[in-house]
Amino acid sequence: MPSRILFNGLKHHAQIIRDFIHTYDAKSMYLLEQQICSIGNSQMDLYTGNLSETTIKEEVITQLTRANLLSEVDFKEFLHPEQFRSVFLSDGSSWILRFGERTGQYIHIHPARYSMHTIRVKATTLKTAIGVLIWQKGTISELDIKQLNYLRKDILKLSPIRSLEDVNSVWKVVNMLIDRG
C-alpha cells in the first residue's frame, strides 16, 4: 500500500470494519473501547462500496502522479487556498484529499460527504454497531435497551441510548455491516 497516504479504514471503510469484527476476539471486549477510539466522536462518511483500501490508495496515487503532484511540496501547494481537494475514483465515489500531519503520510484521504457509496454516520452509532456485532459475533438478534446501554456505558464508555431514534440508527448500521459480512 502506498505509504504516503493516511487513511483510517476503521473509521471510513465498511469492509475493513467487517474484517475487524470478524477477527476480533469477543473475549477481549473490555479492550474494545481503546481499540476503536480512532473513530473519534463526530459524524463521518463511511464508504460502503466495493473498492479495497489498496485500490483506493492506488487510484489516488495514480491521479496525483499523472498530475505531477506526488511530492509533499507540490501536493501541499495543490491544496491551497481551500486546504482540500476532491477526486473521483473508478466506482464514482468522491474522496477528499487533505494535508496529513503524520511524518511521511502527507496525503490524508477520506470519503466525501454524501458521496456515492457512502453513508453519513455518528461515531457513537458506529462504535455501538461494532460492539453489538462483536458481542453477538455476526448474529442479528436484537438486544434490548438494557443490554445496549450496558455495552455503551460499561464497555464502550459512551452515554446511554435514550431515544428510539438512536436505537434505530444503531440497527441501520448493524444491518449494513451484516449485509456483506
Side-chain angles (χ1 to χ4, degrees), residues 4-8 11-12 42-45 60 64 69-72 74-87 95-102 104-113:
R4 295 178 178 121
I5 294 185
L6 175 61
F7 175 64
N8 185 346
K11 181 177 181 177
H12 294 296
S42 60
Q43 285 194 51
M44 80 247 357
D45 294 277
V60 169
L64 292 174
L69 297 170
L70 204 51
S71 78
E72 187 171 345
D74 291 337
F75 179 72
K76 196 170 189 177
E77 188 175 300
F78 168 68
L79 297 178
H80 288 290
E82 294 87 9
Q83 304 300 313
F84 71 93
R85 294 287 180 123
S86 62
V87 296
W95 290 74
I96 299 299
L97 308 179
R98 295 182 24 223
F99 190 75
E101 299 298 329
R102 281 196 193 153
Q105 291 183 307
Y106 55 89
I107 304 166
H108 180 175
I109 65 171
H110 59 82
R113 188 174 294 184

Side-chain angles (χ1 to χ4, degrees), residues 135-149:
W135 199 6
Q136 297 186 324
K137 266 312 185 186
T139 66
I140 191 151
S141 58
E142 288 197 24
L143 302 175
D144 64 29
I145 196 79
K146 185 177 177 181
Q147 292 168 316
L148 272 176
N149 281 335

Side-chain angles (χ1 to χ4, degrees), residues 4-70:
R4 295 178 178 121
I5 294 185
L6 175 61
F7 175 64
N8 185 346
L10 198 54
K11 181 177 181 177
H12 294 296
H13 199 292
Q15 189 56 52
I16 292 171
I17 295 169
R18 287 182 191 106
D19 293 344
F20 175 81
I21 291 165
H22 179 72
T23 59
Y24 196 88
D25 182 359
K27 294 175 188 165
S28 300
M29 283 296 289
Y30 66 96
L31 297 172
L32 184 61
E33 185 263 336
Q34 296 168 6
Q35 294 172 328
I36 63 174
C37 69
S38 67
I39 292 173
N41 295 308
S42 60
Q43 285 194 51
M44 80 247 357
D45 294 277
L46 177 61
Y47 176 72
T48 60
N50 293 323
L51 297 180
S52 68
E53 177 181 10
T54 300
T55 300
I56 291 165
K57 289 179 175 183
E58 287 172 351
E59 288 190 24
V60 169
I61 290 293
T62 297
Q63 289 186 39
L64 292 174
T65 300
R66 286 183 183 150
N68 291 318
L69 297 170
L70 204 51

